[in-house]
C-alpha cells in the first residue's frame, strides 16, 4: 500500500480584514485589525472616541480625529501608544445640525485656553458684560460691549 501525501495550505486572512466561510471582509471605517487570520467581525479594535480610520485599517496610527477634534497623545507624540480626541483651544464639544458631535467655536463672551491634554469646556469671560471674538482662547480676548473700555464702564 502506498500513500500519497499532499500538503494542504490555506490562504492567510490579511490584517485589516476578517475571514469566514471562504469570504474576506474588510473592517469598516473607525476600526482597525493588526492581526492576521481573524475569523470574526468581533476581532477588530475601535479607534478612539471621535476618531475614524480608512476601511481595512491595520493599526492605531491610521486612526485620525475627526470633526475638529485633535489628538492628545498618551506618550509624547507616539500615536501608536494611544491617544484621545479632544477639542482644541477656543472650541468645545457640541452637536451639529446633523446630530454629530463636533468641536464648535466658543461663543462670544466665553473662551477656552489650551486644554493641556484634557477635554474642557468654554469658560465665561470674567466681566459680566464681556464680549469677545468667537473662538477666544484667553480671558485677555474678552472685552466690553460696543467698543467701550473697562474704565468707561465703571
Amino acid at each position: 500500500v502506498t500513500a500519497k501525501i499532499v500538503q494542504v495550505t490555506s490562504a492567510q486572512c490579511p490584517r485589516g480584514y476578517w475571514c469566514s466561510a471562504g469570504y474576506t471582509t474588510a473592517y469598516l471605517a473607525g476600526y482597525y485589525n493588526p492581526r492576521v487570520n481573524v475569523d470574526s467581525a468581533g476581532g477588530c479594535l475601535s479607534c478612539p472616541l471621535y476618531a475614524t480610520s480608512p476601511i481595512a485599517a491595520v493599526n492605531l496610527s491610521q486612526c485620525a480625529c475627526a470633526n475638529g477634534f485633535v489628538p492628545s497623545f498618551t506618550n509624547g507624540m507616539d500615536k501608536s501608544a494611544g491617544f484621545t480626541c479632544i477639542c482644541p483651544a477656543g472650541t468645545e464639544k457640541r452637536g451639529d445640525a446633523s446630530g454629530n458631535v463636533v468641536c464648535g467655536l466658543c461663543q462670544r463672551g466665553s473662551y477656552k485656553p489650551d486644554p493641556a491634554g484634557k477635554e474642557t469646556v468654554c469658560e465665561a469671560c470674567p466681566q459680566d458684560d464681556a464680549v469677545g471674538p468667537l473662538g477666544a482662547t484667553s480671558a485677555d480676548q474678552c472685552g466690553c460691549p460696543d467698543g467701550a473700555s473697562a474704565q468707561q464702564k465703571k
Side-chain angles (χ1 to χ4, degrees), residues 51-136:
T52 191
S53 67
I55 293 171
V58 298
N59 57 50
L60 178 62
S61 66
Q62 288 181 277
C63 296
C65 297
N67 298 328
F69 287 87
V70 297
S72 175
F73 299 102
T74 305
N75 184 18
M77 294 298 286
D78 182 9
K79 193 186 254 190
S80 66
F83 67 98
T84 58
C85 295
I86 61 173
C87 290
T91 67
E92 66 182 348
K93 282 193 296 189
R94 63 174 57 119
D96 69 5
S98 300
N100 298 311
V101 177
V102 299
C103 293
L105 293 174
C106 292
Q107 298 299 308
R108 295 187 191 287
S110 66
Y111 69 99
K112 179 179 146 187
D114 181 355
K118 297 180 181 162
E119 187 59 62
T120 57
V121 296
C122 298
E123 303 172 29
C125 286
Q127 306 88 357
D128 287 339
D129 59 353
V131 295
L134 287 172

